[in-house]
């Protein structure tokens, strides 16, 4: 699973697994403060999102890893060896 989430920091994410549902939560808050002679201006900005994915059969929840680099959050969900056998099928192009 890869998510493009530029502008976030690694600390902004919470990844959890509950009942074979992988949930990714992220929250980011910013504050800008500008002080001038006659006024002070403060801006606040917050953004957040949540994404949930049901793990496929044969997934190994204990082996899930996550990494965040250059605005991409990448989660790897390994499969059990017996379910890792791939089936091949040729797809016709129309």
């Amino acid at each position: 699973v890869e998510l493009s989430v530029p502008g976030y920091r690694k600390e902004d994410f919470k990844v959890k697994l509950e009942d074979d549902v992988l949930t990714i939560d992220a929250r980011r808050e910013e504050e800008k403060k500008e002080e001038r002679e006659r006024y002070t201006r403060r801006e606040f900005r917050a953004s957040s999102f949540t994404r949930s994915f049901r793990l496929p059969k044969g997934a190994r929840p204990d082996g899930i890893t996550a990494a965040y680099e250059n605005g991409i959050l990448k989660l790897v969900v390994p499969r059990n060896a017996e379910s890792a056998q791939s089936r091949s099928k040729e797809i016709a192009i129309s």
Side-chain angles (χ1 to χ4, degrees):
V1 177
E2 289 186 12
L3 294 148
S4 175
V5 283
Y8 283 82
R9 295 171 307 168
K10 183 171 72 171
E11 298 80 24
D12 296 335
F13 296 100
K14 289 183 185 175
V15 180
K16 63 182 177 179
L17 180 66
E18 203 171 299
D19 297 327
D20 287 334
V21 176
L22 184 67
T23 303
I24 303 164
D25 289 314
R27 179 162 181 80
R28 174 177 64 173
E29 296 180 359
E30 283 183 56
E31 178 183 341
K32 287 185 180 180
K33 186 176 181 179
E34 179 182 339
E35 292 188 22
R36 298 285 174 125
E37 186 177 318
R38 299 198 308 165
Y39 67 89
T40 299
R41 179 174 131 180
R42 294 177 81 185
E43 293 182 23
F44 300 92
R45 183 181 312 175
S47 62
S48 65
F49 71 87
T50 301
R51 299 289 183 272
S52 296
F53 305 92
R54 181 165 298 281
L55 293 182
K57 290 183 180 179
R60 280 192 13 236
D62 59 334
I64 296 174
T65 59
Y68 181 69
E69 186 176 346
N70 296 328
I72 304 291
L73 176 64
K74 182 177 181 179
L75 289 101
V76 177
V77 182
R79 293 193 275 173
N80 289 326
E82 57 270 4
S83 68
Q85 298 173 356
S86 63
R87 293 178 273 167
S88 63
K89 178 182 175 182
E90 188 171 331
I91 309 296
I93 301 172
S94 55

